[in-house]
Amino acid sequence: MRMELSEKFDIAIKGVSVKLEEQRVECIAQLEENNMLRSKLKDIADQYNITQQKYAHQLKEKMMELELADLRLQQHQEKAAHEHTQMQLYAEQVSQLMTTEKNLRLQLASDGERFQHFQDALSKSNEVFETYKQEMEKMILVIKNLKKDNEFLKGKCENSDIALVKLIEERELTKKQIEKLKNQKETLESLCRSLQAERKQGRSASIPDAPSSQEDMPATSQES
């Protein structure tokens, strides 16, 4: 019995030892698996943090892009409103310009008729204008000659006070002749105004002052 009990005890001890060894091996395997899982969990956590940071950065960029898009949209809306206002203003200006053009066309037609009447009146005084033109050409020739004389005297009399005095006298004479020409021009303008006044009053009588003016002009030319 003792031997049987000893054998049974040895068998039980061996069975317990085997189970303990199996449990130890299993615990070691579980410990290694836990370490591996812990390492994987850490990697997953690190990857998750990196992903979260990446997503946060991308979200920040998207928010900035959204704000920029909102700002651009607001600018485009303001620009569109400004352009709409400008278009309305341009439309009003175009309408005003069209009205102004219509009025100007009417005014042009009226001025054309007036000009035609004035042209008819001026055609009756061609002799006066021709005389005035001849006098003007004579005075221009005199002025050109005086300018030539003036240039000659300037070159010749740089160091001579006497020549300078003569040059001043020639200039004064030229001024007087130009003044006479201006007076003749004023006479002609007065004659034109008289023609216009007669046209407005509807009178068709001849101009009384024209012959005297024509006679005065050659006399003035002779004096020049």
Side-chain angles (χ1 to χ4, degrees):
M1 289 178 67
R2 288 180 181 175
M3 289 178 64
E4 291 178 357
L5 290 173
S6 177
E7 289 177 358
K8 291 180 179 179
F9 183 72
D10 290 335
I11 293 169
I13 289 175
K14 288 180 179 179
V16 171
S17 297
V18 171
K19 289 182 179 180
L20 289 174
E21 183 64 24
E22 291 176 354
Q23 290 179 357
R24 187 181 70 79
V25 173
E26 186 178 355
C27 287
I28 291 172
Q30 289 180 355
L31 181 61
E32 290 177 355
E33 186 178 359
N34 290 335
N35 290 330
M36 185 177 63
L37 291 174
R38 187 179 294 107
S39 178
K40 289 182 178 180
L41 182 62
K42 183 179 179 182
D43 293 338
I44 292 171
D46 293 338
Q47 188 68 27
Y48 176 77
N49 290 329
I50 293 172
T51 305
Q52 288 294 324
Q53 291 178 358
K54 183 179 179 181
Y55 287 159
H57 182 68
Q58 291 178 353
L59 180 62
K60 185 177 180 180
E61 290 181 351
K62 294 296 181 183
M63 291 296 294
M64 292 177 66
E65 291 178 358
L66 182 61
E67 291 177 357
L68 182 60
D70 291 336
L71 180 60
R72 288 179 179 176
L73 178 61
Q74 183 180 359
Q75 291 177 352
H76 285 305
Q77 289 176 351
E78 292 177 354
K79 184 178 180 181
H82 180 68
E83 290 178 353
H84 180 69
T85 305
Q86 287 294 113
M87 288 296 294
Q88 290 180 347
L89 181 60
Y90 290 154
E92 293 177 358
Q93 291 179 353
V94 168
S95 179
Q96 292 178 358
L97 289 175
M98 290 178 66
T99 303
T100 304
E101 182 182 3
K102 183 178 179 181
N103 295 330
L104 288 176
R105 287 180 182 275
L106 296 174
Q107 184 67 29
L108 181 61
S110 177
D111 291 341
E113 294 178 357
R114 294 178 181 177
F115 179 76
Q116 186 62 37
H117 293 307
F118 180 72
Q119 191 71 22
D120 294 339
L122 287 179
S123 62
K124 297 178 181 179
S125 58
N126 287 331
E127 295 180 357
V128 177
F129 280 102
E130 186 65 25
T131 303
Y132 173 74
K133 182 179 179 182
Q134 293 176 359
E135 293 296 329
M136 285 291 294
E137 291 176 354
K138 290 180 181 179
M139 291 304 300
I140 290 172
L141 182 61
V142 171
I143 291 172
K144 288 182 179 179
N145 294 329
L146 289 174
K147 285 183 177 179
K148 291 180 181 179
D149 295 339
N150 191 10
E151 292 296 329
F152 176 75
L153 290 174
K154 281 183 179 179
K156 185 178 179 180
C157 302
E158 290 181 353
N159 299 321
S160 176
D161 294 336
I162 297 174
L164 181 60
V165 172
K166 290 182 179 180
L167 178 61
I168 293 173
E169 292 176 353
E170 291 292 335
R171 288 183 179 178
E172 292 296 328
L173 180 61
T174 302
K175 290 181 179 179
K176 291 179 180 180
Q177 292 176 348
I178 292 173
E179 187 65 27
K180 290 180 181 180
L181 181 61
K182 288 182 178 180
N183 293 331
Q184 293 178 1
K185 182 180 178 182
E186 291 177 357
T187 302
L188 181 60
E189 290 177 349
S190 176
L191 178 60
C192 291
R193 286 194 293 270
S194 298
L195 290 173
Q196 291 178 353
E198 290 178 1
R199 180 182 57 81
K200 291 180 180 179
Q201 294 175 359
R203 294 181 302 177
S204 59
S206 59
I207 301 173
D209 296 332
S212 60
S213 300
Q214 294 176 356
E215 293 175 0
D216 293 336
M217 289 178 183
T220 307
S221 302
Q222 292 176 1
E223 292 177 0
S224 301

